[in-house]
Amino acid sequence: MRRRGLSIAGLLKANNKSEAQGRLGQRVPIAIIDIGSNSVRQVIYEGLTRSPSVLFNEKVLCGLGKGVAKNGMLDRAASQRALLAIRRFLKLGEQLRVGETHVLATAATREAGNGEAFIGEVEALTGSKIQLLSGRMEAEYAALGIKAGFYKPEGITGDLGGGSMELIEVNGDTTNGVTTPLGSLRLQEMARNDLKAARNIAQKTLKSTAINWPGQSSTFYAVGGTWRSLARLYMLETGHPIEVVHGFSVPSKAFVPFCRKVASNAIQDFEHIDDISKNRRPLLPYGAVVMAEVLEHLGATEVAMSAVGLREGYLYSLLDEETREQDALLEATAELSILRARSPAHGRELAEWTDRAFQTVGITETENQRRWRIAACNLADIAWRSASDFRAEQTLGIINNAGFNSISHQGRAFLYLVTLHRYQGLGSKNLNQKIAKLTGAENNKIARVLAAFFRVLYLFSAAVEGVLPQLELRRNKDGALVLIVPEALMDMVGEKPESRMDALARELDEEITVVIGN
């Protein structure tokens, strides 16, 4: 007898829902409109969380700060463009049912003689109070953005905008911070389009700027669109294997010469300059000038690029202390598991099981290695709807490009290796050697072992919750490894699981025996 399947319309009716299932319920969108010296941007987030996902993101390059350095006034035409953009942003927020809209204004508005009048026009349009940030507040929110986007950051944060550049210490709490007039748009105007003059201005300004490293690390965390474009150009030119900019780090000794070349106005000599936004290119040499001078002035050993900054720092400031303490990487990957995996609970069981298994086989993890392993467990089943031959490709695409925070490129490379070997086997010929090198030998080995465990465990559980807790990996009295399978699951033992057990044993360099019962 033929039976009728449940259609999408029927499914929505049965669940009494009309909205997309790709969003997490119980979250009210929150928006930030950032009125900067170069651009006016609105970002609408899915909700106020430790790892907020972006629902909508749009900017308009209004150039409010043009002319402020010269005549101290906001350009009227730029102000009108900004007001039109904000009007559109408010309508978008209404359509997306935004619960709160926070409007922040920075250097150009703060310093312009007609800035107060412009703020009045914005407040009349939005019907709410605009937060005019001081230079100190800009620095603090930028540092909070680094805390939101990196795992236990320590160093100095630099936030390059169009009208100013803030520096602030970050190490647990944000502490001392300064603001400078070295925003890329303002620097271009002050130097009258002369890059040599721009370098002299930057050197002179930084010479009178006092800020110290707050701990042992001398990592410089770079915030701002111009600096992100600069890093992306570097990544393209050097063939870096991971494309997402956030979390990319590079030694200063390699980055400073690159910045010097960009600052010589030789950007057309770069092979990949056409891959950089045309809107960013005019200010790229000035951003490079500031970057090179800051790194040398501070004596930074490393630059870490950030895709989050003032806006995310402001959101972070609204969170309670308990939520702030959550791990952004694990929250984001757990959310993705809820949205895409067959059983999110199975992912949690996988993390708990492998935690015990690693202790049993004697693998000691660093703090980051443990975080990466849990993230890998959360992501292990997110591509189950794909064609079987492309599950690795889809998962790898997400890992390579997802907007995860609190993970380095080395961590992304670790997740890449686990996923590749989990789906394509431990002898895969599709291994990207650049990514393997980025991971490092020790992490590479741990990733292979974790993938080998995945390949065994999924054959027993089929991603069904409640099966993994019934399996136990332990050592017998002689110290030999045994996998205890209860009698209720004895029929799950077969040729393929045993073959994968052999592969796991080779990775561990010791034999594993399957024992039925206790």
Side-chain angles (χ1 to χ4, degrees):
M1 181 178 181
R2 293 184 178 180
R3 301 171 62 187
R4 184 177 181 181
L6 185 61
S7 66
I8 293 296
L11 180 65
L12 292 173
K13 184 177 181 181
N15 290 329
N16 193 30
K17 288 186 176 181
S18 59
E19 67 271 15
Q21 299 299 292
R23 287 175 57 182
L24 295 166
Q26 310 301 317
R27 290 188 175 172
V28 179
I30 184 171
I32 292 183
I33 297 176
D34 178 5
I35 303 173
S37 300
N38 193 32
S39 65
V40 176
R41 181 190 293 269
Q42 175 174 247
V43 183
I44 300 176
Y45 302 89
E46 184 181 29
L48 183 60
T49 67
R50 180 62 183 84
S51 183
S53 296
V54 175
L55 279 177
F56 197 88
N57 184 348
E58 183 177 308
K59 71 177 178 184
V60 178
L61 293 171
C62 298
L64 273 174
K66 274 186 178 177
V68 172
K70 184 177 181 180
N71 55 38
M73 303 292 282
L74 297 175
D75 180 77
R76 186 60 188 168
S79 299
Q80 290 303 308
R81 287 188 68 199
L83 291 170
L84 285 173
I86 292 169
R87 187 183 300 277
R88 169 177 160 76
F89 291 163
L90 293 171
K91 187 62 179 178
L92 285 166
E94 181 183 323
Q95 290 179 183
L96 285 168
R97 300 178 183 176
V98 165
E100 300 175 27
T101 296
H102 300 263
V103 185
L104 314 177
T106 56
T109 308
R110 178 175 68 238
E111 297 170 6
N114 56 349
E116 187 175 342
F118 173 70
I119 288 175
E121 292 183 85
V122 176
E123 289 181 340
L125 184 61
T126 61
S128 60
K129 185 74 174 175
I130 307 306
Q131 296 195 55
L132 182 61
L133 304 182
S134 66
R136 169 70 188 189
M137 292 168 68
E138 280 195 63
E140 287 183 353
Y141 285 137
L144 287 177
I146 295 301
K147 289 190 66 176
F150 289 81
Y151 187 69
K152 297 183 179 179
E154 179 184 271
I156 291 176
T157 298
D159 185 0
L160 181 74
S164 63
M165 190 270 295
E166 282 69 42
L167 297 171
I168 188 167
E169 301 168 15
V170 58
N171 182 18
D173 293 326
T174 58
T175 51
N176 299 318
V178 295
T179 186
T180 73
L182 295 180
S184 49
L185 188 63
R186 175 175 291 187
L187 182 59
Q188 182 187 40
E189 287 192 349
M190 290 192 299
R192 297 182 180 180
N193 298 310
D194 184 331
L195 285 164
K196 288 185 179 179
R199 182 177 181 181
N200 291 334
I201 292 169
Q203 289 176 340
K204 184 177 179 181
T205 302
L206 290 169
K207 190 175 291 187
S208 60
T209 300
I211 190 166
N212 300 309
W213 296 105
Q216 298 301 311
S217 173
S218 52
T219 298
F220 181 71
Y221 295 92
V223 179
T226 300
W227 277 347
R228 285 195 297 275
S229 295
L230 188 65
R232 183 161 184 264
L233 181 60
Y234 179 89
M235 292 162 67
L236 291 168
E237 293 290 319
T238 56
H240 188 73
I242 294 176
E243 294 183 6
V244 64
V245 173
H246 185 80
F248 169 70
S249 60
V250 57
S252 296
K253 64 182 180 181
F255 204 48
V256 168
F258 174 80
C259 291
R260 294 283 189 225
K261 184 176 179 181
V262 175
S264 69
N265 208 21
I267 59 174
Q268 295 307 320
D269 294 340
F270 290 97
E271 180 182 354
H272 296 279
I273 190 62
D274 288 340
D275 294 315
I276 304 302
S277 168
K278 288 183 179 180
N279 292 326
R280 290 290 184 192
R281 290 179 214 168
L283 294 178
L284 206 60
Y286 295 91
V289 165
V290 179
M291 174 64 79
E293 297 306 324
V294 165
L295 294 179
E296 293 205 331
H297 173 72
L298 296 176
T301 58
E302 180 184 43
V303 187
M305 302 306 303
S306 177
V308 297
L310 183 147
R311 291 179 297 275
E312 291 74 19
Y314 180 80
L315 285 183
Y316 184 81
S317 75
L318 301 178
L319 297 173
D320 60 64
E321 197 60 38
E322 182 179 352
T323 307
R324 287 189 188 188
E325 292 300 315
Q326 294 172 348
D327 189 318
L329 172 65
L330 301 188
E331 289 295 305
T333 53
E335 287 178 1
L336 200 55
S337 178
I338 291 171
L339 293 170
R340 296 196 178 187
R342 283 172 286 190
S343 170
H346 180 270
R348 294 191 291 271
E349 291 177 351
L350 193 61
E352 293 167 1
W353 200 96
T354 54
D355 184 59
R356 295 189 296 270
F358 271 34
Q359 294 179 48
T360 300
V361 301
I363 295 177
T364 302
E365 298 173 292
T366 65
E367 191 173 7
N368 268 322
Q369 286 168 343
R370 181 177 182 276
R371 298 173 62 241
W372 299 343
R373 174 175 54 80
I374 296 172
C377 292
N378 289 338
L379 298 172
D381 196 44
I382 61 173
W384 70 274
R385 286 186 179 273
S386 301
S388 58
D389 290 342
F390 297 99
R391 286 173 187 158
E393 184 178 339
Q394 182 171 0
T395 308
L396 292 174
I398 291 172
I399 289 170
N400 200 22
N401 299 301
F404 299 144
N405 291 332
S406 297
I407 186 169
S408 64
H409 278 207
Q410 186 182 44
R412 286 183 188 265
F414 177 89
L415 296 180
Y416 164 93
L417 290 177
V418 174
T419 300
L420 181 75
H421 293 314
R422 177 254 197 276
Y423 283 114
Q424 297 189 356
L426 298 163
S428 174
K429 297 180 181 180
N430 295 322
L431 177 64
N432 184 315
Q433 293 298 332
K434 285 187 176 181
I435 291 184
K437 184 177 180 180
L438 181 61
T439 310
E442 180 185 354
N443 291 325
N444 198 325
K445 177 63 178 176
I446 294 174
R448 289 179 64 88
V449 171
L450 183 59
F453 273 122
F454 283 3
R455 289 175 66 77
V456 171
L457 295 173
Y458 270 94
L459 288 184
F460 280 94
S461 70
V464 174
E465 176 186 359
V467 176
L468 295 185
Q470 299 179 58
L471 305 174
E472 182 185 0
L473 184 72
R474 69 187 185 202
R475 294 192 181 276
N476 62 20
K477 292 180 180 180
D478 298 327
L481 278 177
V482 294
L483 179 67
I484 309 298
V485 179
E487 290 186 4
L489 295 176
M490 64 183 297
D491 290 341
M492 298 296 290
V493 179
E495 182 177 331
K496 193 157 187 177
E498 288 177 351
S499 173
R500 291 192 177 181
M501 287 283 290
D502 290 341
L504 172 61
R506 287 194 295 272
E507 290 300 317
L508 295 173
D509 197 24
E510 58 178 317
E511 292 185 2
I512 307 175
T513 304
V514 175
V515 175
I516 305 299
N518 295 320

